[in-house]
């Protein structure tokens, strides 16, 4: 249970940090910031006014704030990912900056069976359920360095064991193909949750090039 949390920025040159105005309101819990690719905005989650952040209860919304070189601004709710009667968490900008991919669930924050990935225009709009979902949980998603692939944690194989799946992503349309299993980090006996992409992935680039040549 979290009762107070704000978004801060640390200056690595001076080692000083300060809150981002607009994402530091005293009556909300604000957390999980994610920069837009151009560095001009920060998208984040926040509770309703005067509510605490509970892992499995309550409703959370997504908002964004202009950074303005540290001056901040008034935060605005992300239309399509706020005030919709559900809980909206883990916002991630697509590498091209056109979309925000987020997890929507019935309530709370942590993995729920109702959790699915949705795409919404970065400026807000209609949120669409993505094709890389299953009947169980999808969450903790991250884009690869080229922006063409989206990795997602899912428990579709075993409700007790999260695994990492991979889906092809189209920046132009904000859609993805059905997700497929990644060998060694999914399947019987695996339990994988936190992950990060390497900056370059030579053999994967070769695989993509080979696929392009087959078309």
């Amino acid at each position: 249970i979290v009762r107070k949390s704000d978004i801060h920025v640390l200056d690595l040159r001076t080692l000083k940090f300060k809150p981002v105005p607009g994402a530091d309101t005293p009556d909300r819990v604000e957390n999980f910031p994610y920069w837009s690719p151009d560095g001009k905005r920060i998208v984040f989650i926040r509770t309703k006014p005067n509510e605490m952040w509970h892992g499995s209860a309550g409703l959370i919304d997504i908002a964004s704030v202009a950074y303005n070189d540290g001056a901040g601004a008034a935060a605005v709710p992300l239309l399509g990912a706020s005030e919709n009667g559900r809980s909206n968490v883990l916002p991630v900008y697509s590498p091209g900056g056109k979309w925000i991919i987020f997890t929507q669930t019935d309530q709370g924050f942590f993995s729920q069976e109702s959790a699915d990935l949705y795409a919404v225009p970065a400026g807000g709009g209609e949120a669409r359920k993505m094709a890389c979902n299953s009947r169980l949980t999808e969450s903790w998603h991250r884009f690869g360095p080229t922006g063409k692939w989206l990795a997602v944690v899912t428990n579709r194989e075993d409700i007790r064991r999260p695994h990492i799946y991979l889906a092809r992503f189209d920046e132009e349309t904000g859609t993805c193909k059905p997700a497929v299993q990644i060998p060694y980090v999914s399947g019987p006996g695996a339990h994988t949750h936190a992950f990060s992409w390497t900056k370059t992935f030579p053999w994967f680039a070769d695989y993509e090039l080979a696929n392009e040549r087959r078309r």
Side-chain angles (χ1 to χ4, degrees), residues 21-74:
D24 65 340
T25 54
D27 62 340
R28 295 181 188 261
V29 176
E30 293 132 328
N31 213 310
F32 277 81
Y34 200 96
W35 288 97
S36 63
D38 61 10
K40 293 182 178 180
R41 296 195 72 84
I42 302 172
V43 66
F44 58 96
I45 67 170
R46 65 181 184 179
T47 61
K48 308 294 184 185
N50 300 308
E51 290 187 7
M52 66 183 67
W53 172 14
H54 194 292
S56 59
L59 300 180
I60 301 170
D61 287 330
I62 295 174
S64 72
V65 64
Y67 184 58
N68 290 329
D69 293 323

Side-chain angles (χ1 to χ4, degrees), residues 154 156-158 161-165 181-192:
T154 176
R156 67 187 66 190
E157 295 174 27
D158 186 334
R161 295 181 182 274
H163 299 147
I164 301 173
Y165 269 55
Q181 187 185 74
I182 302 179
Y184 305 110
V185 296
S186 59
H191 186 115
T192 49

Side-chain angles (χ1 to χ4, degrees), residues 102-167:
F102 67 100
T103 295
Q104 188 179 100
T105 186
D106 288 342
Q107 61 181 0
F109 179 86
F110 299 123
S111 296
Q112 311 279 337
E113 287 188 35
S114 60
D116 285 311
L117 297 187
Y118 282 73
V120 66
E126 181 183 358
R128 299 175 305 179
K129 191 173 181 178
M130 303 184 78
C132 45
N133 291 300
S134 71
R135 64 182 180 84
L136 292 176
T137 301
E138 276 73 38
S139 194
W140 299 102
H141 43 289
R142 284 292 182 269
F143 281 99
T146 66
K148 296 179 180 179
W149 295 92
L150 180 66
V152 57
V153 174
T154 176
N155 67 356
R156 67 187 66 190
E157 295 174 27
D158 186 334
I159 189 66
R160 302 161 300 174
R161 295 181 182 274
H163 299 147
I164 301 173
Y165 269 55
L166 201 61

